[in-house]
Amino acid sequence: MKIALLEPLGVSRELIDQLSAPIRASGHEFVYFEQKTTDPQELAKRSENCEVVMIANNPYPVQAVEQAKELRLIDVAFTGIDHVALDACRERNIQICNAANYSNQTVAEMVIGMTIALLRKFPEADKAVRNQKTAAGLTGREIAGRTVGIVGTGRIGMITAKLFLAFGAKVIACDPCPNPEAKKMGITYMPLKQLMEQSDIVTIHTPNTPETRGMIDRECFYSMKKNAYFINCARGPIIDNQALTDALNEERISGAGIDVYNVEPPIPADEPLLHAKHTVLTPHTAFLSEESMIRRAHIAFENVQAYLNGEPQNLCKF
């Protein structure tokens, strides 16, 4: 059987060799491409004769799926799978597994970091120092005592909630499937509009699905408190970026921390959020830490081994 890792996983070649050794020892062919590509034809070429391909967050398009005649499993070293040509996989009965949970802690910590950067005005403070300015106008705010609204209380949402609670915040939540653990922690569930109205800080932790796409719309942003902040380290299409931009530029909310967009970075110059006030913007790095990269590499290769053993794991419904 041929198995190909189509892009780097952010770890050393030594670790890739170590993790792939059992595959090769079992008599299977393993191929590793160390240079990332987004070219559909190149991806199709790399997938030739493969029964299993391994990817991260690089798009895997229709052309690659259709030309990979032997393909049976796409092993996604990432949480979301919306960058894979799902309809084409469905037609071919190709299975998809993921590496869910590898970045839970990393993403939750990023949310806290963005929140502190906004509340304590890090971008403005940095600019002040570089321009020989003082602390005038840089009075910040604390997390303690503020109400944090968490939209989506899965694993990342729950870790985020625990971190905010540790800072002394009050946490409320919105989720169609309330988490029993959250209720034990004293977290109150409520409809989305009510959460947006009551929160001082809103953070998004839902997947990108037909149900959630565009869920955070103009009405949501315009119902927020004027001194509230919005954080999105989940998926870009969940929110209406133009509506958020307008809310920021009209100073209807105090600021936003955004790590994800409608497209993967590099972000086009005409993206509205690039020209919005009071923002902390990062190029989709919430998942990216040394620790999380090592975790996902282990999970991805464990997924391959499970498939080879006839017991595929972490399979996704799509």
Side-chain angles (χ1 to χ4, degrees), residues 204 206 242 307:
I204 306 301
T206 64
Q242 184 61 60
Y307 176 80

Side-chain angles (χ1 to χ4, degrees), residues 1 8 20 42 88 103 111-112 126 141 156 167 201 207 232-233 245 257 264 267-268 279 303 311 315:
M1 183 188 304
S20 62
E42 175 61 22
S103 63
V111 171
I112 298 296
D126 180 87
R141 298 170 180 167
I156 296 177
F167 273 90
I201 300 155
N232 186 15
C233 291
T245 300
E264 283 294 307
I267 304 301
T279 55
N303 286 345
E311 299 177 351
L315 292 177

Side-chain angles (χ1 to χ4, degrees), residues 143-168:
I143 291 175
R146 292 194 142 67
T147 297
V148 177
I150 296 185
V151 182
T153 50
R155 290 184 174 89
I156 296 177
M158 286 303 297
I159 294 174
T160 304
K162 291 174 183 176
L163 291 175
F164 273 116
L165 287 169
F167 273 90

Side-chain angles (χ1 to χ4, degrees), residues 33-156:
F33 295 91
E34 297 188 66
Q35 297 298 319
K36 184 174 182 176
T37 182
T38 57
D39 179 66
Q41 289 304 319
E42 175 61 22
L43 287 167
K45 183 178 179 181
R46 293 182 180 188
S47 304
E48 285 180 357
N49 303 317
C50 291
E51 184 167 330
V52 178
V53 297
M54 305 171 69
I55 64 171
N57 62 328
N58 199 38
Y60 196 70
V62 172
Q63 297 95 317
V65 175
E66 290 179 343
Q67 294 183 50
K69 303 300 183 183
E70 305 299 319
L71 188 59
R72 295 294 177 269
L73 176 71
I74 300 175
D75 181 11
V76 181
F78 206 59
T79 301
I81 62 170
D82 48 305
H83 55 297
V84 178
L86 300 180
D87 289 340
C89 291
R90 196 178 293 111
E91 290 175 7
R92 291 268 313 278
N93 293 318
I94 295 170
Q95 294 181 307
I96 301 175
C97 59
N98 70 355
N101 306 319
Y102 79 94
S103 63
N104 295 355
Q105 184 71 28
T106 303
V107 173
E109 290 185 9
M110 180 76 157
V111 171
I112 298 296
M114 279 190 159
T115 302
I116 294 174
L118 287 164
L119 289 174
R120 300 304 300 272
K121 302 183 180 180
F122 281 3
E124 296 91 336
D126 180 87
K127 186 176 180 180
V129 173
R130 297 177 190 280
N131 289 279
Q132 293 76 53
K133 303 290 185 180
T134 68
L138 296 177
T139 302
R141 298 170 180 167
E142 297 177 351
I143 291 175
R146 292 194 142 67
T147 297
V148 177
I150 296 185
V151 182
T153 50
R155 290 184 174 89
I156 296 177

